[in-house]
Amino acid sequence: MKAADSVLVLAAVAAAGIALSQRQHRQQLDLQAVALHQAWITDAASSPDLANLWAAGSGQATPEYTNLLRANRVMALLCAKFRVGLLNRHALRVQARWLMERPIGRQYWKMHGAFREEEATDGRTRAFNRIMSDEYIAVSDRTTAAA
C-alpha cells in the first residue's frame, strides 16, 4: 500500500469518526431538550395555576387540558426514542397503536397532529408523524365501525 493510500484511508476513518461523534452529540442534545420538555409538562400538569394559564388559550377546560399534556408527554417520549434509534419502525407502530387505542391518544392526535406535522424538522420526525397518523386513522376507523 502506498503512503498516499494510507493517508486517504486514515482521512476517511477520521471523517467517519467525526460524523459519528456529531450524530451522537445531536442525539444527546435532542434527549436533553426532551428532558426539559418533559419537566415542563410535569410542572404544567401538576400545577393548576400553570395549567390554567396554558389551557386558557386552548379552549379546553383545565382537567381536559391536563390530560392532553400527559398525552403530549407520552408522544414526545416516543418521538425522542424513535429519533435516537431506541425504537425501530415496527416497535414504534406497536407503541403508536397502543396509544391510539386510548381515547386521550386519539383526542390529542386529532387536536395536535397537524401541528406536529407542521413543526417537523427532519425526515425522522416526519416518519414518526406518519406512523402516528396511520395508527390514528386505523384505530379511529375500527372504533367508528364498532360503534
Side-chain angles (χ1 to χ4, degrees):
M1 182 182 275
K2 295 182 182 177
D5 292 340
S6 296
V7 170
L8 190 58
V9 168
L10 285 174
V13 169
I18 290 169
L20 180 59
S21 177
Q22 287 177 333
R23 179 176 171 225
Q24 289 172 335
H25 182 67
R26 278 192 307 272
Q27 288 175 334
Q28 286 296 323
L29 290 174
D30 198 11
L31 291 174
Q32 289 171 1
V34 169
L36 291 170
H37 180 259
Q38 295 287 334
W40 182 88
I41 290 175
T42 298
D43 288 348
S46 61
S47 166
D49 290 339
L50 188 54
N52 281 330
L53 287 173
W54 288 96
S58 72
Q60 303 291 315
T62 301
E64 184 178 352
Y65 186 78
T66 300
N67 286 334
L68 290 172
L69 284 172
R70 292 178 178 132
N72 184 332
R73 184 170 34 197
V74 173
M75 193 74 62
L77 177 62
L78 291 175
C79 187
K81 288 173 70 174
F82 182 67
R83 288 175 54 83
V84 300
L86 297 175
L87 289 175
N88 62 24
R89 288 176 188 266
H90 172 75
L92 175 60
R93 193 165 294 281
V94 169
Q95 294 291 314
R97 189 172 312 120
W98 178 89
L99 181 58
M100 295 305 170
E101 286 173 347
R102 277 117 191 99
I104 193 64
R106 291 191 305 278
Q107 182 183 4
Y108 175 85
W109 194 258
K110 181 179 180 180
M111 293 179 69
H112 301 289
F115 177 73
R116 290 187 71 96
E117 290 174 8
E118 187 178 324
E119 72 174 351
T121 57
D122 59 26
R124 273 310 259 184
T125 305
R126 285 187 283 282
F128 171 86
N129 289 338
R130 274 192 305 277
I131 290 169
M132 285 294 161
S133 187
D134 290 350
E135 292 305 319
Y136 168 78
I137 291 167
V139 172
S140 294
D141 289 349
R142 200 170 59 229
T143 56
T144 302

